[in-house]
């Protein structure tokens, strides 16, 4: 069954068609990779899924509910969490505080607790946050400040912040960007484990083909605001359209 449906979405910035008749269908429990050259429209598409941008036309539905114009503060409650291309963390706060913040924010008057997030006290939220840090291998660093982390660990911290929301859909914008191979492999193992253990539905934007082929069940290839191909990873490799659009004729 499809959890996320993007139907004929268009978005222009002035004369530039950043998204041109985009269709995307993400099956529940699957890992769906989006690949494509710089400027293809990948991040713009993700921004349209979380209310940061409103498409000029088209529909986006998540579990049957429209995400068009959703308020950014509502998106976690709906069940969508995103790891951004540039880490968005509180650098001066400890790791445990960073992971607790999204849950605590839901407790004030304006935000309701996530319905699937039935925790009463702060102690419970702290325990949950610690288990999320343990899931990403950062439990021993829980009390140090986030700014002191390496780039790879900052990405993992963001992932723990997302997981703390128990999302139905996890969006990852280049989760391995700038990482050395060892860190990339650790991230692949971690995401694989989350996918298998939680049956977590994920959309992963990625430039590293090793990550895509290790992780993804489906791949959408974008170029110049359009979708070139949507297929299983094994069928992407030899596809001449993909080689032309993505690699200027080189082979994957
Ligand atoms: N807010 C904006 N205003 C104007 N142009 C924008 C804006 N955001 C994106 N663009 C343009 O839209 C196009 C798609 O950008 P986008 O960031 O979605 O690409 P991308 O596929 O994520 O690329 P990358 O791999 O470099 O992250 C680019 O030409 C970009 O310059
Ligand atoms: Mg991008």
């Amino acid at each position: 069954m499809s959890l996320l449906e993007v139907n004929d979405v268009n978005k222009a910035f002035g004369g530039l068609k950043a998204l041109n008749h985009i269709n995307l269908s993400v099956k529940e429990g699957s890992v769906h990779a989006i690949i494509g050259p710089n400027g293809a429209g990948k991040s713009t598409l993700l921004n349209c899924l979380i209310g940061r941008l409103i498409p000029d036309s088209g529909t986006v539905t998540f579990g049957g509910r429209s995400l068009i114009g959703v308020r950014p503060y509502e998106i976690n409650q709906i069940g969508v969490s995103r790891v951004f291309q540039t880490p968005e963390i509180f650098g001066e706060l400890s790791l445990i505080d960073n992971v607790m913040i999204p849950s605590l924010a839901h407790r004030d008057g304006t935000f309701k607790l996530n319905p699937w997030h039935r925790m009463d006290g702060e102690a419970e939220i702290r325990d949950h946050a610690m288990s999320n840090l343990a899931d990403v291998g950062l439990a021993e660093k829980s009390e140090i400040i986030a700014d002191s982390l390496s780039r790879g660990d900052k990405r993992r911290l963001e992932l723990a912040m997302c997981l703390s929301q128990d999302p139905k859909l996890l969006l990852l914008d280049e989760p391995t960007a700038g990482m050395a191979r060892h860190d990339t492999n650790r991230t692949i193992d971690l995401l694989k484990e989350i996918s298998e253990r939680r049956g977590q539905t994920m959309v992963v934007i990625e430039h590293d083909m090793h990550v895509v082929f290790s992780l993804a069940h489906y791949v959408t290839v974008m170029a110049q605001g359009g979708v070139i191909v949507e297929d299983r990873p094994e069928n992407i490799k030899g596809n001449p359209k993909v080689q032309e659009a993505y690699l200027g004729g080189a082979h994957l």
Side-chain angles (χ1 to χ4, degrees), residues 42-44 85 173-174 205 207:
K42 306 179 298 294
S43 295
T44 302
Q85 193 162 358
D173 199 344
E174 301 199 31
I205 292 179
H207 282 288

Side-chain angles (χ1 to χ4, degrees), residues 86-108:
T86 313
E88 296 196 1
I89 55 179
F90 300 94
E92 73 286 5
L93 298 183
S94 68
L95 272 56
I96 186 78
D97 283 346
N98 268 275
V99 181
M100 286 173 70
I101 279 170
S103 302
L104 292 171
H106 287 288
R107 293 185 349 138
D108 81 22

Side-chain angles (χ1 to χ4, degrees), residues 32-53:
H32 196 118
I34 300 178
I35 65 172
N38 294 125
K42 306 179 298 294
S43 295
T44 302
L45 176 58
L46 251 56
N47 281 330
C48 289
L49 307 182
I50 58 160
R52 285 208 173 183
L53 285 174

